[in-house]
Amino acid sequence: MRERFDVAVIGGGAAGLVAAISAARRGASAVVLERLPRPGKKLLATGGGRANLLNENLLPAAFTSTDPGLVASVLGRFGKGEIRSFFEGLGLRMQSEEDGRVYPVTSQASSVLKVLELEVGRLGVPVRTGFAAASVAPVPGGFSIAAEEGPKLEAVAVVLAGGGKSYPALGSNGSCYVLAGRFGHRVVAPVPSAVPLLVKDRMCHLLQGQKVKVLARGAVEGREGPAVEGELLFTQYGLSGTAALDVSEGLSIALNRDGRKDVALIVDFVPFLSQPELAAELARRMAAGWPARDLGTGLLPDKFAAVLPQTLSDPAAARQGAANAKAGRLAAALKTWRFAVHGTRGWNEAEFTSGGVDAREVKSRTLESKLRAGLYFAGEVLDVQGGRGGYNLAWAWSSGYVAGLTE
């Protein structure tokens, strides 16, 4: 006789484990189906291995989605306070940093995974590893789930929590999009997010390996987005670092989903001075006879000595008027440097996925499909994206818990 459960959770990541716990705590028989040899592999890599599991500023406004109301509804049911209580109840202690990021006191993602696995075990939830769900088909009273290599089981309800497409080696390969599509769900084309940018600019070559603190904003066809503060890292292929990653979502959507061509990253290399202040300081240095390559000393990393002479069209001019003009041009360039972006790195270097199952086709209170009763969604499989800093893991916990209730 084929095994039958109340709830089958497809995906043993952050959202899937919490969904199984949520289901089992209300007395339902649950099973976790994970295609890798062990659950939670991607969770172990989050936050640089520290598991940035939450942010003190967790609000619906921190997310983008095809249905912002859905995000607000889920966080209203299982938000920051509930997430804290959930993990504290599992024995995990947390600490907040100045920027609002919340980590386990051990600073180890393995601690987060361990307390989840202990609770799954305590509740008697079986975890079937090596189970790559190839099909989910409706049957009387629920669903039949079949693995790629033969095993089958049945469940009254199914939670799709298999993640997006980022870091496929860690478990997310987009397979749940296929399963959702078979029930008629629209999938917003997934594109890499929090991903390095491809740029062809001589500055990237000259400054390769250099990090600098900047203000950066994305621009698509002349429309500039909000500025973010962070580090910019010059690489052989273009730009990385927190500043590039934090603005990459909109640029990736424009390039990879919408096919836009006029896409750029606008960078302020001297955010601690206004443009007039910077121009005045550069003019003073020029008037004092500073060599062009040394004009950035004390303002910019030393490697910029290779860039500044090329930015000045006439570095040999000596008159004060010419110095003022050159200083103004150089200040403007350093405050609004435009890098043309022609692409992004791929899924193996993307932290998140932008896109997924259209959230408008999901009930905002329960995360149940509007197209098929008994089918639920949790985590990154949905078209819900948060910024870096613990927001996406917070969404995994919140959506997993709500979906696991299978109301």
Side-chain angles (χ1 to χ4, degrees):
M1 184 175 180
R2 188 173 298 172
E3 285 187 290
R4 186 174 176 86
F5 297 87
D6 294 323
V7 181
V9 180
I10 298 178
L17 291 173
V18 173
I21 291 169
S22 175
R25 282 182 174 180
R26 65 175 177 79
S29 60
V31 62
V32 176
L33 308 175
E34 169 56 47
R35 72 180 185 90
L36 294 185
R38 70 160 297 181
K41 189 173 181 180
K42 189 173 180 180
L43 174 57
L44 292 175
T46 59
R50 295 179 61 202
N52 180 192
L53 50 80
L54 182 60
N55 196 292
E56 295 289 1
N57 303 307
L58 183 64
L59 294 169
F63 297 83
T64 58
S65 173
T66 38
D67 184 1
L70 177 142
V71 179
S73 176
V74 171
L75 292 182
R77 298 192 68 188
F78 200 82
K80 181 178 68 174
E82 289 79 10
I83 293 171
R84 276 191 170 276
S85 296
F86 174 80
F87 279 107
E88 287 171 354
L90 298 182
L92 187 77
R93 292 297 178 264
M94 292 160 282
Q95 58 187 4
S96 300
E97 299 194 346
E98 290 184 3
D99 59 2
R101 299 178 189 227
V102 180
Y103 296 90
V105 294
T106 61
S107 289
Q108 293 181 320
S110 57
S111 299
V112 182
L113 179 57
K114 186 65 175 179
V115 297
L116 291 172
E117 289 180 317
L118 287 171
E119 182 68 356
V120 166
R122 185 188 72 81
L123 293 166
V125 177
V127 178
R128 304 288 168 79
T129 56
F131 191 110
S135 69
V136 177
V139 296
F143 302 86
S144 173
I145 303 103
E148 290 178 349
E149 298 183 0
K152 292 184 178 180
L153 54 83
E154 292 185 355
V156 177
V158 170
V159 179
L160 294 183
K165 297 186 72 174
S166 60
Y167 294 136
L170 301 182
S172 299
N173 65 354
S175 58
C176 279
Y177 298 144
V178 177
L179 299 177
R182 290 174 183 164
F183 287 95
H185 278 280
R186 173 179 177 263
V187 176
V188 179
V191 298
S193 181
V195 63
L197 305 173
L198 300 180
V199 171
K200 292 180 180 179
D201 190 291
R202 183 167 174 76
M203 185 182 284
C204 295
H205 171 72
L206 294 171
L207 299 180
Q208 187 173 328
Q210 178 67 59
K211 285 183 178 179
V212 59
K213 289 186 177 180
V214 302
L215 281 180
R217 65 180 73 229
V220 178
E221 295 183 346
R223 294 189 61 182
E224 297 186 6
V228 301
E229 184 177 2
E231 284 189 335
L232 194 67
L233 171 64
F234 295 92
T235 72
Q236 62 181 354
Y237 56 77
L239 300 169
S240 187
T242 58
L245 298 181
D246 283 342
V247 301
S248 66
E249 181 182 356
L251 305 186
S252 182
I253 290 172
L255 290 162
N256 299 318
R257 184 187 298 163
D258 299 338
R260 304 291 179 85
K261 301 299 182 183
D262 182 10
V263 177
L265 186 71
I266 311 299
V267 176
D268 178 355
F269 285 110
V270 193
F272 47 86
L273 292 178
S274 68
Q275 188 167 319
E277 289 172 336
L278 178 58
E281 176 61 21
L282 292 172
R284 183 188 68 79
R285 296 180 180 201
M286 290 178 182
W290 288 39
R293 64 180 293 107
D294 295 331
L295 289 174
T297 301
L299 302 173
L300 296 162
D302 291 344
K303 270 194 173 184
F304 270 78
V307 174
L308 298 182
Q310 300 181 35
T311 309
L312 293 168
S313 60
D314 184 16
R319 293 181 296 107
Q320 179 66 39
N324 285 337
K326 288 189 300 178
R329 289 196 301 272
L330 181 55
L334 292 174
K335 295 289 287 183
T336 59
W337 197 284
R338 185 182 189 277
F339 292 99
V341 181
H342 64 86
T344 68
R345 299 291 275 183
W347 289 113
N348 287 324
E349 296 181 50
E351 293 187 20
F352 310 126
T353 301
S354 180
V357 174
D358 192 332
R360 294 170 294 187
E361 298 176 349
V362 177
K363 296 178 182 179
S364 61
R365 177 172 170 78
T366 62
L367 297 181
E368 184 182 22
S369 166
K370 293 179 180 178
L371 309 182
R372 173 68 197 190
L375 181 66
Y376 296 80
F377 301 92
E380 203 173 12
V381 68
L382 282 164
D383 181 29
V384 175
Q385 301 85 43
R388 295 172 59 257
Y391 296 101
N392 284 289
L393 262 185
W395 172 249
W397 314 133
S398 297
S399 59
Y401 197 90
V402 170
L405 297 173
T406 60
E407 296 176 333

